[in-house]
């Protein structure tokens, strides 16, 4: 597949924005903060470029691009390890609302997400990362209340709006909870990947707004998680590209035994294998982005295929990058570990490679 | 000393210095004096002129008795510097340095690597020049594990830049508290700072602390490196049930409902590999030859590094999404005994394991050694062969 001139232009715009606002120094500064993002840059992203609303239709305050453009932007963000609640808000929360059948909620909530004024996230997983049980919803005359806990919520401690999957009488349902709601307690988690924050959330008689019909969240969540996998693998392609470039640049510059280390076959072959992995990842990720954008029925299959292949590939190239750099690659000062940790967190998010291969096997009736 | 005499010496040591109630440093001193440090060397050096293979017996008996492990108090000293002193030290140097090294009174570090000379250790640039009865040392070393705790360092320095690189190096013992030595922590990707950068600015080293002949430092260095590989790879030989921890991790994950046939198979594969490595280590120990490590050292270093990495990742991933959390983030500097920072989390162990294929010789370098020196395959084309060090591009 190839990108249109408009898409390439978007890529160039996002790249130069990230060059200015998400260089390594910015990443290191932000990753050490609690919330892990720069509100001023977040604002600029919304007002100058409209990135948060990129794939939200115009009628809800977005700019109406397709999921493919969102993926392309994520690839650039992944290459620069942008520290921002973008994935949580513009991917997870936005698609959860868009996939819901709730016109009113879309009209109410999407414009804020699109402009960046609202930072939103999705809370669906239990402490094994599975989307089940754990939170119950009770219907009262005054509305719904939630009880229980959700784990590993991306940017969960900072989000203004949390979309929660909870079990109501009619089954899994989607709810909206606002920051600071009664009985909502966020706990920041100490993440390995400091560039992407996570939190546990507990709900104790917490007032919540039902989104869509009671019992309708199963299908929504399945589809949102497939889209999340597609988005994440495109982000990962950016990171994989970046480490391949770091490794090859270093292999050409670093001299040992009077020669560039890249002239040793052991290193040359490692770099070549990295290239193979990155090219395979691009094929899988770009195709998945197209499938997600055109809404063709293959999404479940390609999402699992891509998640399994790309997250393993990203991890392996990020690890190889450390090896190619030798001792320097093992230091805090070198960016290699930032990508390595991002790759590990991406591998474990939304189902690890083994679980996606299991899904495929089941789908194929094996 | 015969096996029987050795056994009697071990019994006496344990009787007179019960490990549970004896200060570790005191215990090491008694062990050294009983000739149970390095059994194959002379009594004056902490040995008893026994068969090298009997070292395994000593380690096993003492481990069973719960004796403290000297390597935990002076990892680089015991694993690398001690054996190097035994091979290349003069009687005076051995008498001066070995006992306090063994007891952990004087911690040692190994100052080989430099910013531009890592795998190519012989490419080093730190300079020592003669000044009367002293040498004057200038330069920078890097990745020096435990330098911040060390009293002594084993250092390689260039004493003649006009000859090919291997011929212009001399080895010294350097006092890490001498004026002009500056140790700065270097943070690693786990967040901790085990290693350091070390700067030398006009540091005086008496000629009596030169190890080996002038210009013969490369030979001293290779002894250290061979021992490093043995000690890094060979650590598994003393481990009890190899791979048992992996099976236990799988059991725990399965009880949480996170088992599956793939992970189960991975657990068994890793368990098999752990046992094969262990058996190679045991075989290497049985063939132990007077402190001169053979190719098994490089084989074990290679396989155990790569195994460790896979095993650590396997255990990390068994945690599920919690595998992406990291309990401790602040920069910690290790103290001795090694491990006194507490048992590292599964996640930290996973991160630390990335160093295994780099430290003590990278896996690429080890494969070159196995291919060229053990199998006799033709070497790489050398562009620096016969070229004066100063003329080699770096
Ligand atoms: C945790 C840790 C602790 C350490 N502790 C110490 C210490 O206490 N004392 C000390 O002196 N050093 C120490 N080191 C340094 C270590 O020995 C070096 O990092 C290592 O030898 C690699 O050198 P380098 O980092 O310069 O990498 P480089 O030599 O630059 O290697 C970069 C890459 O090129 C490859 N390469 C280089 N040459 C060849 C070749 N000929 N053929 C094929 N591939 C090649 C390497 O395998 C590697 O992948 C430590 C390192 C670490 C990570």
């Amino acid at each position: 597949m190839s990108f249109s001139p408009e898409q390439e232009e978007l890529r160039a715009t996002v790249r130069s924005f990230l060059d200015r606002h998400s260089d390594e120094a910015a990443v290191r500064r932000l990753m050490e903060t609690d919330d892990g993002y720069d509100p001023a840059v977040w604002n600029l992203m919304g007002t100058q470029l409209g990135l948060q609303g990129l794939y939200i239709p115009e009628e809800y305050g977005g700019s109406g691009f397709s999921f493919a453009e969102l993926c392309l932007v994520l690839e650039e963000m992944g290459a620069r390890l942008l520290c921002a609640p973008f994935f949580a808000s513009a991917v997870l929360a936005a698609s959860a609302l868009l996939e819901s059948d709730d016109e009113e909620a879309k009209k109410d909530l999407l414009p804020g997400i699109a402009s960046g004024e609202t930072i939103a996230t999705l809370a669906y997983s239990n402490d094994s990362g599975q989307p089940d049980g754990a939170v119950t919803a009770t219907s009262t005359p005054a509305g719904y209340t939630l009880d229980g806990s959700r784990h590993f919520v991306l940017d969960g401690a900072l989000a203004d709006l949390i979309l929660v999957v909870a079990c109501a009488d009619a089954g899994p349902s989607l709810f909206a909870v606002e920051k600071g709601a009664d009985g909502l307690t966020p706990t920041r988690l100490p993440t390995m990947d400091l560039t992407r924050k996570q939190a546990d959330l507990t709900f104790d008689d917490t007032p919540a707004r039902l989104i869509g019909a009671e019992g309708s969240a199963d299908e929504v969540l399945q589809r949102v998680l497939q889209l999340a996998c597609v988005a994440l693998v495109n982000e990962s392609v950016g990171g994989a590209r970046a480490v391949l470039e770091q490794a090859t640049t270093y292999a050409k510059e670093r001299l040992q035994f009077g020669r560039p280390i890249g002239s040793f076959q052991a290193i040359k072959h490692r770099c070549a294998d990295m290239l193979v992995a990155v090219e395979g990842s691009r094929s899988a990720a770009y195709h998945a982005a197209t499938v997600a954008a055109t809404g063709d029925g293959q999404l479940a299959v390609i999402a699992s295929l891509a998640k399994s292949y790309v997250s393993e590939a990203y991890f392996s190239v990020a690890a190889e990058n450390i090896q190619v750099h030798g001792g320097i690659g093992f230091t805090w000062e070198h960016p290699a570990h930032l990508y390595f940790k991002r790759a590990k967190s991406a591998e474990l998010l939304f189902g690890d490679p083994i679980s996606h291969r299991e899904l495929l096997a089941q789908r194929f009736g094996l | 000393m015969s096996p029987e005499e050795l056994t009697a010496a071990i019994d006496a040591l344990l009787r007179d210095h019960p490990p549970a109630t004896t200060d570790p440093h005191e215990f090491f001193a008694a062990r050294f004096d009983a000739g149970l440090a390095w059994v194959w060397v002379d009594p004056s050096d902490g040995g008893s002129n026994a068969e090298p293979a009997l070292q395994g017996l000593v380690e096993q008996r003492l481990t069973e008795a719960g004796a403290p492990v000297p390597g935990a108090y002076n990892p680089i000293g015991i694993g690398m510097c001690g054996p190097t002193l035994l091979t290349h030290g003069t009687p005076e140097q051995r008498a001066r340095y070995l006992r306090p090294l063994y007891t952990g009174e004087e911690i040692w570090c190994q100052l080989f690597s430099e910013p531009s000379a890592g795998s190519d250790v012989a490419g080093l640039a730190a300079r020592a020049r003669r000044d009367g009865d002293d040498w004057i040392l200038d330069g920078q070393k890097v990745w020096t594990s435990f330098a911040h705790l060390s009293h002594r360092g084993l250092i390689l320095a260039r004493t003649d830049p006009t000859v090919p690189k291997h011929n212009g190096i001399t080895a010294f013992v350097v006092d890490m508290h001498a004026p002009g030595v500056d140790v700065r922590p270097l943070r690693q990707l786990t967040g901790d700072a085990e290693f350091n950068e070390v700067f030398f600015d006009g540091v005086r080293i008496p000629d009596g602390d030169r190890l080996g002949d002038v210009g013969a430092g490369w030979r001293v260095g290779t002894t250290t490196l061979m021992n490093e590989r043995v000690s890094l790879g060979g650590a598994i030989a003393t481990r009890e049930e190899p791979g048992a921890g992996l099976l236990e991790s799988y059991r725990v994950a399965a009880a949480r409902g996170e088992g599956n046939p793939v992970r189960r198979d991975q657990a068994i594969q890793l368990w098999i590999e752990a046992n094969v490595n262990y058996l190679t280590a045991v075989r290497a120990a049985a063939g132990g030859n007077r402190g001169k490590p053979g190719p098994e050292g490089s084989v074990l270093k290679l396989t155990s590094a790569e195994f460790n990495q896979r095993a650590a990742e396997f255990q990390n991933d068994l945690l599920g999404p919690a595998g992406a959390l990291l309990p401790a983030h602040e920069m910690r500097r290790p103290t001795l005994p090694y491990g006194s920072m507490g048992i590292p989390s599964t996640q930290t162990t996973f991160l630390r394991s990335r160093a295994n294929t780099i430290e003590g010789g990278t896996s690429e370098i080890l494969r070159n050694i196995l291919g060229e020196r053990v199998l006799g395959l033709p070497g790489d084309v050398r562009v620096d062969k016969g070229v004066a060090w100063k003329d080699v591009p770096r």
Side-chain angles (χ1 to χ4, degrees), chain A residues 254 256-257 261 264 266-267 323-327 330, chain B residues 110-113 118-119 143-145 195 352 355 358-362 364-365 368:
Chain A
R254 170 72 168 173
Q256 291 286 274
F257 305 94
I261 56 169
F264 295 113
I267 295 300
Q323 185 68 22
V324 169
H325 279 81
F330 191 69
Chain B
Q110 172 194 325
L111 301 146
F112 287 10
S113 303
S119 297
W143 329 120
T144 319
S145 304
F195 53 32
R352 178 64 180 77
I358 299 171
E359 61 194 337
T362 66
E364 289 78 16
I365 292 296
N368 285 347

Side-chain angles (χ1 to χ4, degrees), chain A residues 26-39 83-85 119 153-159 179 186-200, chain B residues 329:
Chain A
V27 170
R28 285 184 184 269
R29 181 168 49 79
L30 293 172
M31 75 184 198
E32 300 286 354
T33 62
D34 271 350
D35 284 342
Y37 85 115
D38 181 341
C83 292
I119 292 173
V153 182
L154 296 189
D155 296 301
L158 117 97
K179 186 176 190 166
T187 310
R188 293 177 205 279
L189 294 173
T191 48
M192 182 182 286
D193 170 14
L194 291 170
T195 65
R196 177 143 47 211
K197 309 292 181 185
Q198 300 185 16
D200 283 348
Chain B
H329 263 304

Side-chain angles (χ1 to χ4, degrees), chain B residues 292-315:
Chain B
K292 286 205 195 76
E296 310 89 348
S298 293
V299 171
L300 272 175
K301 159 65 171 88
L302 176 68
T303 55
S304 60
E306 300 196 342
F307 165 80
N308 270 351
Q309 239 164 40
R310 281 197 303 278
E313 191 186 3
F314 170 73
Q315 292 192 305

Side-chain angles (χ1 to χ4, degrees), chain A residues 250-251 254-257 259-268 270 320-331, chain B residues 76 80 109-121 141-147 154 188 194-196 225 228-229 352 354-366 368 372 380:
Chain A
Y250 192 70
R254 170 72 168 173
L255 302 181
Q256 291 286 274
F257 305 94
R259 291 163 49 172
I261 56 169
S263 72
F264 295 113
Q265 271 193 4
I267 295 300
K268 194 181 301 168
R270 272 184 190 275
E320 293 291 30
N321 186 40
I322 294 177
Q323 185 68 22
V324 169
H325 279 81
I328 291 198
F330 191 69
T331 59
Chain B
I76 311 285
M80 297 139 216
C109 60
Q110 172 194 325
L111 301 146
F112 287 10
S113 303
E114 297 184 10
S116 64
S119 297
D120 184 10
V121 179
K141 296 287 174 177
V142 75
W143 329 120
T144 319
S145 304
F146 306 111
L154 175 59
Q188 61 204 35
E194 268 173 71
F195 53 32
N196 304 267
L225 293 175
E228 175 164 27
R229 276 146 211 176
R352 178 64 180 77
R354 295 321 304 181
N356 294 158
T357 52
I358 299 171
E359 61 194 337
T362 66
S363 290
E364 289 78 16
I365 292 296
L366 288 163
N368 285 347
E372 295 172 18
D380 253 315

